[in-house]
Amino acid sequence: MLTAEENELLCRVEGDAPMGQMMRRHWIPALMSEELEIDGKPTRVRLLGEDLVAFRDSEGKVGLLDEFCPHRGPSLVYGRNEDCGLRCLYHGWKFDVSGNVVEMPSEPAESSFKEKTKIKSYPTEEIGGFIWTYMGPADEKPEFERPPFAPTEDTKVSIAKVKIPCNWAQVQEGQIDSAHSSSLHSSDMVPARVDSAGATETNWTRPSTDKAPRMTYRTTPYGFRYVALRRPIKNSSTHDYARVTVYVAPFISLIPPNSSYNVASVVVPVDDENSWFYFLAWGGEDIIGTYEWREFNRLVMGKDIESDYSTKSSIENDFNQDRELMKSGNFTGIKGIPNQDISMWVSMGKIVDRTTDILGASDLAVVEFRRLMVEAAKGFENGSSQAIGRSGTHIPQAEITSFQGIVPKGTDWLTLGTVETEQKVLSELAERAS
Ligand code: FES
Ligand SMILES: [Fe+2]
């Protein structure tokens, strides 16, 4: 449970809201690389309540500018993307990726007006299938680094993108909450007598039937990690089935992998009441391809989602829930793992009321998420703290991983999926706390 004020702090991201301001101090996954072609159609990008336009210029460089022309205000989404710049259709002013006005055909040739005018622009980087941006003050810009889901140059990343009509925090809470998968996704994540979680074309398998995991968390410099221990189908007297989920605040969560690929999700606020949700499979060259990943998740553009990435199944059509399918054994009657999640997130309302919810032992990760983020926002509000993960030893994001597997009972879970640097930092933190 949160107070009404804490819930506001957690959820609000627009304008001066502390959470949004704190998020601006991190590199933000703004859109997918595949959305922009050289000299191609500019794309609308709304982030933290701000309307922007992205385009890829003739040299392949990406610009992220204010959506509206500073001259008289029409949208640059309709602009011409040509000869290393984006040209407003109205009077032909042309902007480069850095926000400089490079042509002003409507003004006298001798005018210096051009040099004095700029359009708001944000820096961009490109890695792991995403275009990233930094929207905070220039003097607080952190060094750009590889994200956990693209640890090396040749990591392959398959991304499914959706626009969700509700606040970011309820989406993020869903992604880091391990307990719901045994119910909500029970028809797609099925128990099997296997040694490790697997993936087929139609479902995921896991070696446990246990619906009430025992959970423990540990705060880390970048967020937190937690383990959910379940009774395995085989060897349950000597072993545990461990699933470690990691939250790399504020946008990324690493879900336990399966034997075919790693799984991650990225949640970025569009504004207070809408979110960008990206579901990722990543790994080596032979992982599931982008199209197959979107098919598996039933998030194929044209078929399942609209061109603006909103879903065709929505609260208006009750997410096309099929009651007959439920009678025949399907748990939700909703097809596709993300669609099941989306139906839960969206049906909670635009911004869920956290002053009345009733949390149990399995909500441990949700409680930790709220504590971490509300504290970060409060710190930001009081001027005492900045971005998350800036103090102490830096753990490179590319070295942060989740984990799943059957382990002997009594295994130190902090060694599961952690590299030496992180283990050292965590034991130092623990010593300091004791
Ligand atoms: S309004 Fe854009 S150039 Fe005039
Ligand atoms: Fe889920």
Side-chain angles (χ1 to χ4, degrees), residues 26-298:
H26 297 81
W27 280 92
I28 303 173
L31 71 161
M32 297 185 293
S33 291
E34 67 171 58
E35 292 178 69
L36 300 178
E37 277 173 29
I38 286 181
D39 289 342
K41 185 181 176 309
T43 298
R44 252 192 204 93
V45 184
R46 188 166 158 83
L47 296 170
L48 303 169
E50 226 176 285
D51 290 309
L52 306 168
V53 60
F55 69 104
R56 197 185 290 280
D57 77 6
S58 317
E59 291 171 355
K61 288 193 223 133
V62 174
L64 188 62
L65 311 178
D66 188 349
E67 182 187 336
F68 305 104
C69 179
H71 181 207
R72 301 249 304 277
S75 174
L76 292 170
V77 165
Y78 307 107
R80 297 179 64 87
N81 182 10
E82 58 195 8
D83 302 327
C84 281
L86 184 59
R87 189 188 297 281
C88 176
L89 291 188
Y90 216 176
H91 313 89
W93 290 19
K94 184 175 162 188
F95 310 94
D96 68 11
V97 293
S98 308
N100 301 306
V101 184
V102 288
E103 280 177 40
M104 223 179 227
S106 56
E107 291 298 305
E110 64 282 6
S111 163
S112 62
F113 196 35
K114 189 160 67 108
E115 282 72 47
K116 292 190 202 120
T117 313
K118 271 204 107 154
I119 185 169
K120 182 171 65 188
S121 75
Y122 292 115
T124 61
E125 294 280 354
E126 205 163 352
I127 234 171
F130 283 91
I131 291 158
W132 304 70
T133 191
Y134 176 75
M135 297 171 74
D139 58 348
E140 290 178 43
K141 187 164 89 173
E143 215 167 285
F144 182 70
E145 63 171 324
R146 289 195 157 274
F149 55 80
T152 61
E153 197 115 331
D154 48 10
T155 310
K156 192 173 148 195
V157 186
S158 294
I159 310 172
K161 174 173 181 170
V162 205
K163 189 176 177 190
I164 315 278
C166 72
N167 180 258
W168 78 279
Q170 66 215 50
V171 179
Q172 196 64 274
E173 282 180 354
Q175 283 315 100
I176 56 178
D177 158 30
S178 178
H180 80 271
S181 59
S182 315
S183 288
L184 183 69
H185 306 310
S186 53
S187 298
D188 299 275
M189 299 183 186
V190 292
R193 287 187 70 80
V194 288
D195 293 322
S196 179
T200 70
E201 265 169 41
T202 49
N203 62 23
W204 289 348
T205 52
R206 64 164 59 168
S208 175
T209 54
D210 190 350
K211 291 190 181 195
R214 289 152 287 138
M215 296 160 83
T216 317
Y217 77 90
R218 183 61 69 84
T219 309
T220 65
Y222 53 77
F224 65 90
R225 58 170 57 238
Y226 77 91
V227 67
L229 295 175
R230 291 176 169 86
R231 251 186 352 268
I233 294 175
K234 298 199 270 184
N235 304 325
S236 63
S237 59
T238 52
H239 286 70
D240 282 319
Y241 176 49
R243 292 177 66 82
V244 176
T245 305
V246 185
Y247 179 44
V248 184
F251 306 117
I252 302 169
S253 44
L254 307 176
I255 290 149
N258 59 54
S259 51
S260 304
Y261 44 82
N262 300 291
V263 188
S265 73
V266 172
V267 180
V268 179
V270 173
D271 48 37
D272 286 352
E273 298 190 339
N274 296 280
S275 311
W276 297 117
F277 171 63
Y278 302 89
F279 201 37
L280 281 59
W282 62 274
E285 199 39 54
D286 56 349
I287 66 146
I288 187 166
T290 295
Y291 186 78
E292 291 73 23
W293 178 239
R294 290 174 185 170
E295 280 249 290
F296 175 77
N297 287 301
R298 298 187 186 251

